[in-house]
Amino acid sequence: MFGLSELAIILIVVAAVLAVKKLPELTRSAGKSARILRSEARAARDADEPGTPRVIQGETVKREDPGTGTGPRG
């Protein structure tokens, strides 16, 4: 029969084979998390320095109707 060490080796090999399928997704997720963490740390550091403008990249939204914020209706 199998001993404990053989069973552990088989489990490690099976886990490695299954992990290979998820590896690209895990590395992509880790990279995205690292970028978010770095940008948050930079934003926190920049917030400590008053007088420097802070630029946030993103989508620019034009407001058609500034009174309600809902835009034109029709």
Side-chain angles (χ1 to χ4, degrees):
M1 264 329 277
F2 289 111
L4 188 59
S5 61
E6 289 88 5
L7 189 59
I9 291 173
I10 290 172
L11 288 174
I12 290 172
V13 169
V14 169
V17 168
L18 294 176
V20 167
K21 293 180 182 179
K22 294 286 185 174
L23 191 61
E25 182 181 332
L26 290 173
T27 55
R28 193 175 307 119
S29 175
K32 186 183 287 188
S33 298
R35 283 191 300 273
I36 291 171
L37 181 63
R38 206 173 325 146
S39 68
E40 290 295 326
R42 188 179 312 122
R45 185 181 62 236
D46 291 344
D48 292 340
E49 301 173 8
T52 57
R54 186 169 162 204
V55 177
I56 301 174
Q57 294 180 349
E59 184 177 323
T60 303
V61 179
K62 284 183 154 184
R63 290 194 176 190
E64 299 287 329
D65 186 9
T68 61
T70 59
R73 295 181 186 227

